[in-house]
Amino acid sequence: MVNEAAARPRDPFANKVLEQADIMRDQVARHLERARLAARLTVVGSITDVAPVVTALARTMEKIHHDRGVAIEVHADVEARFRGERPDLEEMIGNLVDNACKWASARVAIDVVRERPDPSRAGQVLRIVVDDDGRGLSPSEREQVAHRGRRLDETKPGSGLGLSIVVELAGLYGGELKLGTAPLGGLRAELVLPGA
Ligand SMILES: Nc1ncnc2c1ncn2[C@@H]1O[C@H](COP(=O)(O)OP(=O)(O)OP(=O)(O)O)[C@@H](O)[C@H]1O
Ligand SMILES: [Mg+2]
């Protein structure tokens, strides 16, 4: 069907078929990726030290965004541990710090704290806060940006996938991403994840 549709480039119906086939392919790929991640999470019980990951990422991001002269300040509890895989933690924090650097005026602050165990959750809770001093986002903008491909500021490069990946990964670990306003004036992105 896709081949037939592709052979009729000027037929609007054929174009619709191609468009729908693209969306289906995308959805299948997403479901497979989700299944792959979910399966892995139940098998591997790894624990990752958070402070070294955050410190290394901050230094890397400072270099990547060197031309903008953004300073990244890190306060990380050295005892903080993530109940999950290191690459997933790097992916989540990396996306948030990359955004903070892209939209900051001059400052980014990262805080890693362990919460008192919440009786409604099993085990420790880990909180990773990424603040910047940029223009931030209004409550309605915050609602929009966590969706795949949604970008509000086209003046900076990006595909608009970063935050949706963070939301999805955090969700797979039973955690969440919250967006708010930072004391520095810009966006506050707060990751709540299972600790160890
Ligand atoms: N720290 C921030 N300050 C202001 N706006 C932000 C911030 N972080 C994200 N946004 C807004 O949310 C949108 C979505 O962010 P997201 O990380 O998903 O995409 P991106 O950074 O544009 O692209 P990508 O992450 O795929 O390179 C951004 O385009 C921007 O409009
Ligand atoms: Mg991004």
Side-chain angles (χ1 to χ4, degrees):
M1 193 161 83
V2 169
N3 288 343
E4 263 173 60
R8 297 180 207 178
R10 268 187 294 277
D11 179 343
F13 179 68
N15 282 331
K16 197 78 205 158
V17 167
L18 286 178
E19 194 185 299
Q20 290 298 320
D22 258 356
I23 293 172
M24 279 159 65
R25 196 176 300 129
D26 207 43
Q27 282 178 347
V28 168
R30 271 161 64 78
H31 285 298
L32 285 175
E33 176 65 9
R34 262 191 101 92
R36 191 185 65 77
L37 283 169
R40 199 195 52 195
L41 290 181
T42 54
V43 179
V44 189
S46 54
I47 307 284
T48 303
D49 276 325
V50 183
V53 168
V54 171
T55 311
L57 265 174
R59 297 294 84 84
T60 307
M61 287 292 165
E62 237 168 17
K63 282 189 195 125
I64 291 175
H65 295 275
H66 175 72
D67 55 325
R68 309 205 53 251
V70 172
I72 306 177
E73 205 178 296
V74 178
H75 293 286
D77 181 337
V78 291
E79 303 270 301
R81 277 174 255 288
F82 167 53
R83 190 172 290 282
E85 303 254 331
R86 182 175 176 131
D88 293 336
L89 188 66
E90 287 170 339
E91 174 96 43
M92 289 184 275
I93 302 175
N95 272 306
L96 298 180
V97 178
D98 180 52
N99 283 348
C101 290
K102 279 202 282 191
W103 278 281
S105 305
R107 289 175 64 197
V108 170
I110 312 173
D111 273 279
V112 179
V113 292
R114 286 182 302 157
E115 296 283 288
R116 252 182 319 118
D118 176 344
S120 70
R121 293 179 188 248
Q124 285 268 352
V125 176
L126 181 67
R127 196 175 293 274
I128 300 163
V129 179
V130 181
D131 287 347
D132 68 69
D133 65 349
R135 66 167 191 85
L137 292 170
S138 71
S140 73
E141 287 175 321
R142 283 183 231 140
E143 289 265 308
Q144 294 175 45
V145 292
H147 296 107
R148 194 175 160 80
R150 198 68 61 85
R151 310 195 66 233
L152 298 173
D153 178 359
E154 301 283 352
T155 66
K156 310 249 185 254
S159 61
L161 294 180
L163 286 179
S164 62
I165 291 170
V166 178
V167 168
E168 202 148 311
L169 266 176
L172 281 170
Y173 280 101
E176 60 178 327
L177 173 71
K178 298 183 198 171
L179 298 178
T181 303
L184 292 175
L187 188 72
R188 162 164 287 189
E190 203 171 334
L191 263 179
V192 182
L193 293 171

